[in-house]
Amino acid sequence: MVKLSLRLMANTDDNILKKVIAHAKEYGFVFPSSEIYDGLAAAYDYGQNGVELKNNIKEYWWKFMTRSHDNIVGIDASIFMHPTTWKASGHVDAFNDPLIDNKDSKKRYRADVLIEDAVAKIEDKIKKEVDKAAKRFGETFDAEMYLTTNPRVVEYQKKIDDINTRMKDAIEKPDLEALRQLIIDLEIADPISGSRNWTDVRQFNLMFSTELGSVAGDASKIYLRPETAQGIFVNFLNVQKTGRMKIPFGIAQIGKAFRNEIIARQFIFRMREFEQMEMQFFVKPGEEMKWYEFWKEKRMKWHKALGLGEENYRFHDHLNLAHYANAACDIQFNFPMGFKELEGIHSRTDFDLKSHEEFSGKKLQYFDTEENKSYIPYVVETSIGLDRMFLAVLSSAYTEEKLEDGSERTVLKIPAALAPNKVAILPLIKKDGLPEKSMEIMNDLKLDFNCYYEDKDTIGKRYRRMDAIGTPFCVTVDHQTMEDNTVTLRDRDTMQQERVSISSLKNRLADSCSLSALIKKIE
Ligand code: ATP
């Protein structure tokens, strides 16, 4: 069947996010946590399809980081760590967000995010001016020149630069009154109520704490880790020595992290319990910028290989460098809410190892046999949120299509290698031995590929259900199958069907759904 494919552009972005959330719940991807008790803010559970997609994303990352790079190994550190870890890392003293409340709506916001949103609005204005001019001047249009000479655009850019400078100063000092004044001067209103009646700005530590030990008096305060990275730093020497690792080398980890986020809206984009996939790359001091550029490029290639749209990614350099960094950027993704941070790449200097050396009194140095001396390595880190990656895949896969026959379908165009189920096995009718034959095919495939079996409803309805959960292939078993061992293979995206032999299925699926092939493409 020929189809007319169109992403429903009439949807507002907010609508798209709402649709993605509803779809994720209806089709077993993501449920609100403890929903029977009305849920818990910013906590979510992954359902039967969600967990498969999540595991595939993890595998894509893990295989790329640890198998494509001979000098990267993995670990799995515990969530609870000695409390001094968080003193040394700076989190006890400095893992704060500046928060501000609106007195009328009683809503709480991150002061820096309110200001960043105001900057984004001015950036949008610049973009609109550029788009308008591009239309007016046609092929002769020189965007670079326009950006530096058009008076209105230049003025917008100056405004952005001024705001950024003031925000950077206020955060670095920190000067919370200056941050509040910036919000007042920019006439920022509460996005919900429109009110400009703001409280003072206060610092808020994002770490969750609990107590270790059951006997009163023995108990000591410990934290749920707010990032996985420190588990890697404290194991630096263990891994280096037992793995006989030579610099440069990396340690990778996937695991839960916890942050008491001030505002946790926008679905799984900002959660209080989430998963990170982090890699710390230990390098010779002085070589960190080379490796920083190397990892920026590698990580961007990893993202783009998925085919979610090259235009949906961009780098964003950090204006306010964290206390430990000498260079840092984000890879931003075009989520339904706009371009936002998906992954961070940071050059962390020797801050962490040096600080752990001081606090623990243990030497955390590497003996470089080529240079015949010991030093504390520098670190370049790549840090991506698994749940944000999940949202990037899900929201860009969500497509509503109007077909040529006038009907509509919702299809998740998830990259085949990440799809929860690779193939659905569907007997055309529920008799004449077709279900048994289907089960035979399924049993042959199911250990290599996640399969789905379904024999209820019309074949058309079953295809739609598979489209809705992003299954790249449907195999239909009919009467001809019983005679010549062939089946119809339907492609999710093109909806084309072809007749293939059962014996060719394994190779067909392996070619289209292979994670290894996807990773090889990156090199
Ligand atoms: P943001 O500025 O959005 O709060 P961050 O700069 O604090 O993020 P990092 O500390 O660099 O984030 O953490 C690395 C990655 O972990 C982020 O790029 C993001 O993908 C993910 N991440 C951080 N906080 C959360 C959260 N609350 N929920 C889900 N993912 C998160």
Side-chain angles (χ1 to χ4, degrees), residues 91 95 97 110 112-113 116 206 226-227 257-259 261 263-264 267-278 318 324 330-331 340-346 381-389:
H91 283 81
F95 194 50
D97 274 346
R110 258 172 69 176
D112 55 329
V113 171
E116 277 168 11
L206 299 182
E227 64 176 26
F258 304 82
R259 295 182 188 179
E261 297 281 1
I263 37 160
F267 194 37
I268 53 175
F269 180 82
R270 190 176 299 286
M271 299 153 91
R272 299 209 165 95
E273 172 184 343
F274 58 100
E275 254 177 292
Q276 287 186 316
M277 306 193 284
E278 294 199 298
H318 281 203
Y324 51 74
D330 299 333
I331 293 178
K340 302 251 178 219
E341 173 177 345
L342 169 60
E343 169 158 7
I345 297 159
H346 312 127
E381 132 185 298
T382 71
S383 174
I384 173 171
L386 175 55
D387 311 86
R388 280 192 196 175
M389 187 60 203

Side-chain angles (χ1 to χ4, degrees), residues 9 29 117 178 281 313 333 417 438:
M9 297 309 289
F29 283 86
D117 287 349
F281 201 68
Y313 299 90
F333 184 76
S438 301

Side-chain angles (χ1 to χ4, degrees), residues 164-393:
N164 283 337
T165 310
R166 282 179 67 185
M167 180 158 82
K168 186 166 183 276
D169 281 354
I171 288 179
E172 270 175 4
K173 273 182 186 150
D175 181 348
L176 301 181
E177 183 42 43
L179 213 51
R180 180 175 190 273
Q181 196 54 48
L182 188 51
I183 289 175
I184 306 290
D185 293 348
L186 292 173
E187 300 183 345
I188 294 175
D190 180 337
I192 292 174
S193 67
S195 148
R196 295 195 181 121
N197 194 3
W198 297 108
T199 62
D200 288 342
V201 177
R202 281 167 294 150
Q203 293 283 29
F204 178 79
N205 192 292
L206 299 182
M207 279 200 295
F208 282 104
S209 64
T210 184
E211 292 194 339
L212 190 71
S214 54
V215 185
D218 284 354
S220 61
K221 186 173 179 183
I222 56 163
Y223 298 97
L224 293 179
R225 67 178 178 199
E227 64 176 26
T228 55
Q230 299 304 323
I232 291 177
F233 290 124
V234 300
N235 279 298
F236 158 72
L237 263 197
N238 282 340
V239 174
Q240 192 271 318
K241 291 225 159 100
T242 57
R244 303 163 64 82
M245 308 301 289
K246 290 238 169 337
I247 273 183
F249 73 91
I251 305 178
Q253 177 171 218
I254 300 178
K256 290 260 179 173
F258 304 82
R259 295 182 188 179
N260 199 1
E261 297 281 1
I262 298 170
I263 37 160
R265 300 186 199 112
Q266 297 173 329
F267 194 37
I268 53 175
F269 180 82
R270 190 176 299 286
M271 299 153 91
R272 299 209 165 95
E273 172 184 343
F274 58 100
E275 254 177 292
Q276 287 186 316
M277 306 193 284
E278 294 199 298
M279 191 276 299
Q280 322 296 136
F281 201 68
F282 299 91
V283 305
K284 212 183 259 187
E287 293 193 347
E288 70 274 14
M289 289 320 287
K290 178 180 92 183
W291 289 109
Y292 173 68
E293 293 302 329
F294 173 89
W295 281 110
K296 269 176 77 173
E297 193 189 327
K298 274 265 166 141
R299 292 302 307 147
M300 190 57 113
K301 279 188 177 166
W302 180 88
H303 284 285
K304 289 190 172 170
L306 281 175
L308 307 185
E310 303 243 331
E311 69 289 0
N312 286 327
Y313 299 90
R314 69 183 188 195
F315 284 114
H316 173 79
D317 288 326
H318 281 203
L319 276 175
N320 309 304
L321 288 179
H323 54 281
Y324 51 74
N326 66 357
C329 70
D330 299 333
I331 293 178
Q332 294 187 332
F333 184 76
N334 192 10
F335 289 99
M337 318 78 81
F339 274 96
K340 302 251 178 219
E341 173 177 345
L342 169 60
E343 169 158 7
I345 297 159
H346 312 127
S347 172
R348 294 179 76 124
T349 67
D350 59 356
F351 171 84
D352 302 86
L353 290 179
K354 206 172 176 177
S355 186
H356 285 305
E357 238 192 30
E358 277 165 23
F359 277 82
S360 68
K362 308 265 165 31
K363 228 174 165 197
L364 295 177
Q365 302 200 358
Y366 172 79
F367 182 72
D368 192 322
T369 46
E370 277 168 24
E371 305 227 340
N372 203 23
K373 65 171 190 194
S374 293
Y375 54 76
I376 300 178
Y378 270 43
V379 171
V380 174
E381 132 185 298
T382 71
S383 174
I384 173 171
L386 175 55
D387 311 86
R388 280 192 196 175
M389 187 60 203
F390 186 106
L391 183 59
V393 172

Side-chain angles (χ1 to χ4, degrees), residues 138-157:
E139 278 191 0
T140 58
F141 181 61
D142 180 344
E144 287 291 311
M145 170 109 102
Y146 187 79
L147 283 171
T148 49
T149 53
N150 177 275
R152 196 174 302 161
V153 169
V154 170
E155 196 182 311
Y156 285 145
Q157 189 54 51

